[in-house]
Amino acid sequence: MWMLQLIIKPTSGLTFRRMPSSILHINTYPFLPPTTMSGFLRRLKMLEAGHLPETAVKDPDYYALPPQLCTLGAYPKLNEHRIHTTKRQGIRSFNHNAFSRIVRHQSTKEVYQLHTWEYLFAEQLIGYVVSEDEKLLSQLKTIENFGCKIGKEGYAFVGMVSGPTQLVLEQMQAKPDTLLPGAALIGIPCEAFPLYRYAWGTGALQNTNLTHPEPSAIKGFIPFVAGEVRDGIELDYYSDGEHYLPKLFIDELMGGVENGRKE
């Protein structure tokens, strides 16, 4: 297994909207979720090639890294972030998508409502991408200093990319650098979060051109629960002696990849 470590630098407050969520209270994950990170990195590769991927609410196209590149999310260092809660006006119409577009050509009259809105503030987020394919993983090294919109609200750029670094699978007692799936958290104090992973469509594994504007073969999302622990736990980790990436979390995120093979 090979790993890239990325330092992602926010340029503003960030909102990674927790789902499911209420309409009026927009709360944020205290980290960059794996699927959001995957879409962010894919868009940076597309921007590098001069493409501007658009977004939509109804029948959206999904842009993500191919299944061979497993994003594990990006996390602030312990006690080096805060969640700020404020009031702000938001669009009442569910199908409004102008605020999510990279390019806005015109504005329209909208009906607003008052939201309670959370922002994540952090100096940096430390993210991980792993893969068995070192060559494909190395394509992400060129996105250093590229940035764009990220998540529900906010902007960030990639400040540094390190690796690829080879990892060895070992069973040990360690503090994981990422979340753990629910199966590993039974009886362990933690903060748990509802997350999602991709349900890949047919042929997903064949689409390995990261800069091509073709949408990803994603047919939906599969929910699961993951949590953050503060202490060490004995598990199987992919590790280089400095970073500890739990195999169970990688296996959870990679679930369903075989369904993306072309029949």
Side-chain angles (χ1 to χ4, degrees):
M1 184 72 76
W2 296 87
M3 173 194 74
L4 277 187
Q5 181 183 11
L6 301 95
I7 304 299
I8 298 174
K9 305 280 287 185
T11 60
S12 63
L14 307 174
T15 300
F16 305 119
R17 188 176 185 180
R18 290 199 199 189
M19 299 297 288
S21 176
S22 69
I23 295 175
L24 294 179
H25 181 58
I26 312 299
N27 52 353
T28 184
Y29 292 103
F31 52 82
L32 171 58
T35 48
T36 308
M37 180 179 177
S38 180
F40 174 68
L41 298 181
R42 171 73 190 284
R43 281 171 165 77
L44 294 186
K45 288 297 295 184
M46 294 173 66
L47 288 170
E48 179 187 2
H51 303 298
L52 292 175
E54 276 291 1
T55 60
V57 173
K58 183 178 181 181
D59 301 324
D61 289 327
Y62 295 112
Y63 297 94
L65 297 179
Q68 295 94 322
L69 300 180
C70 181
T71 55
L72 306 183
Y75 308 85
K77 290 184 178 180
L78 186 64
N79 299 324
E80 293 188 5
H81 72 284
R82 66 185 181 93
I83 303 294
H84 174 68
T85 303
T86 187
K87 299 290 187 181
R88 63 174 275 185
Q89 286 186 324
I91 302 299
R92 186 181 296 272
S93 174
F94 178 77
N95 62 2
H96 174 83
N97 65 0
F99 290 164
S100 298
R101 296 174 186 167
I102 294 177
V103 177
R104 276 189 259 172
H105 300 286
Q106 64 181 8
S107 60
T108 57
K109 185 176 180 180
E110 298 286 354
V111 178
Y112 289 85
Q113 60 188 358
L114 189 64
H115 293 284
T116 301
W117 202 289
E118 290 184 354
Y119 293 94
L120 168 65
F121 285 91
E123 288 294 324
Q124 65 181 26
L125 304 171
I126 304 173
Y128 306 93
V129 186
V130 296
S131 179
E132 297 285 359
D133 189 334
E134 181 188 5
K135 185 177 180 180
L136 183 61
L137 187 63
S138 295
Q139 292 186 35
L140 291 175
K141 290 182 66 66
T142 60
I143 61 174
E144 193 167 298
N145 294 323
F146 277 80
C148 70
K149 184 183 182 296
I150 186 169
K152 174 73 174 177
E153 185 83 12
Y155 292 82
F157 69 95
V158 177
M160 185 175 68
V161 181
S162 303
T165 302
Q166 190 167 22
L167 306 177
V168 176
L169 182 61
E170 298 182 72
Q171 186 180 56
M172 65 182 80
Q173 180 89 11
K175 168 69 171 65
D177 289 306
T178 69
L179 300 172
L180 290 172
L185 298 171
I186 298 174
I188 298 175
C190 69
E191 184 176 4
F193 305 92
L195 289 178
Y196 297 83
R197 59 179 171 84
Y198 295 121
W200 294 99
T202 301
L205 288 168
Q206 282 67 46
N207 298 328
T208 58
N209 187 334
L210 306 187
T211 62
H212 197 277
E214 179 183 0
S216 300
I218 295 171
K219 60 183 180 181
F221 295 86
I222 300 171
F224 69 98
V225 174
E228 184 178 28
V229 297
R230 296 299 176 92
D231 300 315
I233 180 173
E234 185 170 349
L235 290 171
D236 288 335
Y237 293 93
Y238 287 103
S239 175
D240 62 351
E242 182 180 353
H243 303 93
Y244 303 95
L245 308 181
K247 181 179 182 296
L248 282 174
F249 190 49
I250 295 172
D251 290 345
E252 178 68 56
L253 292 170
M254 294 289 287
V257 168
E258 291 299 315
N259 294 333
R261 295 192 182 277
K262 187 174 290 184
E263 299 296 336

